[in-house]
Amino acid sequence: MNAFAHAEIHASTHAARTAELTAEAAAWRLARGAATPTTPAPPALPVRAALPVLAALRNRLGEALVSAGIRLMRPAHSGVHRPA
């Protein structure tokens, strides 16, 4: 493999990862915008009833952050690609 081919593969891999992260950020913004309340909020749950919900949300957020961190730490040219 010559240097040009390697540079081209490297650039296309980075472009693909950038596109993936951009799409993920756009989806996050869209979901966050959709979550903005347009009607009055329902009455607040008692604190004890809200604890399991908060724990589940915290776990999902933690899993998403770990997943994103692993993707970002993986070298672009490692040869390991996620299936489309």
Side-chain angles (χ1 to χ4, degrees), residues 21-56:
L21 291 174
T22 302
E24 188 175 332
W28 182 84
R29 284 189 200 99
L30 184 63
R32 185 171 178 177
T36 304
T38 56
T39 59
L45 293 173
V47 173
R48 287 186 184 195
L51 288 178
V53 173
L54 292 176

Side-chain angles (χ1 to χ4, degrees), residues 7-27:
E8 187 175 337
I9 291 169
H10 193 74
S12 66
T13 304
H14 276 292
R17 288 183 70 202
T18 301
E20 179 185 345
L21 291 174
T22 302
E24 188 175 332

